[in-house]
Amino acid sequence: MIAVIDEAPDAVTLRLRLSEATGFLPGQYYNVRLEAPGRPRPVQRAYSVGSSPVPDPSLIDLGIREVPGGLLSPLLVNLRAGERLPVRGPYGRFTWDGRDGGPVLLVGAGSGMVPLMSMVRHAAQRGRSDPVVLVCSAITYSHAFYRDELAALAARHPWLRVVHCITRDPAEPRAHYHRRVDTTVLAESLEGDHPRAAYLCGPPAMVESVAAALVGLGVAPEAIEKEKYD
Ligand SMILES: Cc1cc2nc3c(=O)[nH]c(=O)nc-3n(C[C@H](O)[C@H](O)[C@H](O)COP(=O)(O)OP(=O)(O)OC[C@H]3O[C@@H](n4cnc5c(N)ncnc54)[C@H](O)[C@@H]3O)c2cc1C
């Protein structure tokens, strides 16, 4: 591991240099294995890549949010640069390579933003021009992963629109909505358009409720890709 970057009060990015770079697609994840106290064997959990495979696929950023009472995530957020972290991958079919027309809708809650950020960073590097609407849900603005980089990307790239839903800070001025992602948030964020594809990532209940809202707005179920962080 070459760096640990603070991402939010309860989250870090672990930047790893892989000894063997097999390449990965934006949206994929790696399995992390670590000894955990009281466990006879190493414990394994999945963590998505937040960085783009371009220009260097041997460098991967894993975004980790601490789950209170969890086995692995509290250990991971306390790792230090220089420590070794065994990973295996990449895995997963929740991928988007930045191609095809728009609009493309990305909806992430909490650490569910991680694979979506890989997609956005990759799309920016590919020189995308078709619209991407990214809806981010977080409890407070400072818990929103990648908030400063997303603001800078949206200012630089007219194709990117970032919408923040802040659920537990009614006074937050940078929020577009002070509630969870719902049908109205989606319809207004898409400005009446139908997304060509939608990528939803986060807690299972959030992913299912957003998918149902999109279907209610007339989006074909086949156009909706889901990654649930069970
Ligand atoms: C494909 C995929 C990609 C993912 N990507 C990311 C990512 O990019 N970033 C990220 O932060 N997470 C990601 N996750 C989630 C991640 O894999 C872990 O599930 C998460 O970090 C929690 O792991 P943990 O070991 O800390 O918690 P666990 O030990 O698995 O515990 C999870 C919860 O269950 C509770 N619990 C545990 N044991 C018990 C018990 N016996 N009784 C009652 N409650 C119990 C804990 O208190 C905790 O609240 C991803 C998941 C998937 C499936």
Side-chain angles (χ1 to χ4, degrees):
M1 193 160 48
I2 58 172
V4 180
I5 302 154
D6 285 338
E7 210 61 73
D10 56 355
V12 297
T13 284
L14 302 181
R15 179 161 295 161
L16 309 181
R17 168 77 66 194
L18 301 177
S19 45
E20 279 177 50
T22 50
F24 66 92
L25 297 172
Q28 287 192 302
Y29 65 91
Y30 280 76
N31 282 329
V32 172
R33 283 164 74 86
L34 210 60
E35 305 281 347
R39 291 291 164 131
R41 279 182 288 283
V43 175
Q44 177 173 294
R45 298 284 184 268
Y47 293 97
S48 306
V49 184
S51 48
S52 166
V54 180
D56 184 356
S58 73
L59 210 55
I60 59 167
D61 281 0
L62 303 181
I64 320 268
R65 189 177 75 84
E66 179 172 2
V67 175
L71 264 179
L72 218 60
S73 60
L75 302 176
L76 292 173
V77 298
N78 284 303
L79 290 178
R80 295 280 163 262
E83 295 187 69
R84 278 181 57 80
L85 185 64
V87 300
R88 190 171 287 177
Y91 301 107
R93 288 187 293 177
F94 180 77
T95 63
W96 176 50
D97 64 3
R99 270 191 270 253
D100 306 329
V104 166
L105 173 69
L106 311 175
V107 184
S111 57
M113 281 296 298
V114 177
L116 308 183
M117 192 62 185
S118 177
M119 295 174 184
V120 168
R121 284 170 166 155
H122 185 242
Q125 275 155 344
R126 286 182 59 96
R128 186 174 169 85
S129 55
D130 289 322
V132 173
V133 178
L134 173 60
V135 179
C136 319
S137 179
I139 54 174
T140 76
Y141 190 72
S142 65
H143 285 82
F145 277 56
Y146 315 122
R147 54 199 175 279
D148 294 338
E149 184 178 342
L150 282 172
L153 281 169
R156 203 170 337 127
H157 299 293
W159 51 265
L160 179 64
R161 183 167 149 71
V162 179
V163 175
H164 285 286
C165 290
I166 299 301
T167 59
R168 291 194 210 158
D169 186 357
E172 173 55 59
R174 290 159 292 189
H176 298 84
Y177 299 92
H178 293 96
R179 60 178 196 267
R180 291 181 170 188
V181 183
D182 59 20
T183 303
T184 307
V185 168
L186 294 166
E188 290 179 358
S189 301
L190 286 161
E191 296 176 332
D193 280 346
H194 266 190
R196 188 198 57 73
Y199 294 83
L200 318 179
C201 186
M206 166 268 173
V207 168
E208 285 306 339
S209 78
V210 171
L214 287 172
V215 171
L217 287 170
V219 178
E222 312 82 73
I224 302 172
E225 301 290 339
K226 306 172 191 170
E227 186 82 294
K228 297 179 189 173
Y229 286 1
D230 300 295

